[in-house]
Amino acid sequence: LLEIVLVQSPPALPASTLASHLTMSKQPEKYENDLEENLTTQSPPPNDFSNHALTIAWRKCTYVWSTLLLIFAMTVTLYGIGKQWNNPPWSQTNSHPVLEIGFFFFMCTWIGLLEGAQISLVGLQGINLELYKDS
């Protein structure tokens, strides 16, 4: 059998009461520069493990592991350039490996600067830069 339940809608509010409810319930907007207020009102999530001993140990292990991996990669790369096992677009008979290593570091620095500038341009598109022109 099918039961039909009629739900009665709440009584309509007068326009003046509705307007006062709308204006009273509007909360002030929070901005990024209200840092002190945001810090005092926010509480950490209940499952925050950022200060747990295993998390700290894992973080330190990743620092060590990534540093060792960087040293290994730089050793292999510089050894290959020093032995002239690389394949530059110029003749290696007249170039010294130290010059090519210097060029390698210059190009890595240049690429890093270009990538950083591109990321900052893309990331700052939604920010009004006029607010910070005098700071």
Side-chain angles (χ1 to χ4, degrees), residues 84 86 88 90-97 100:
Q84 295 184 341
N86 56 340
W90 56 83
S91 173
Q92 287 185 335
T93 56
N94 297 331
S95 66
H96 197 272
E100 292 181 12

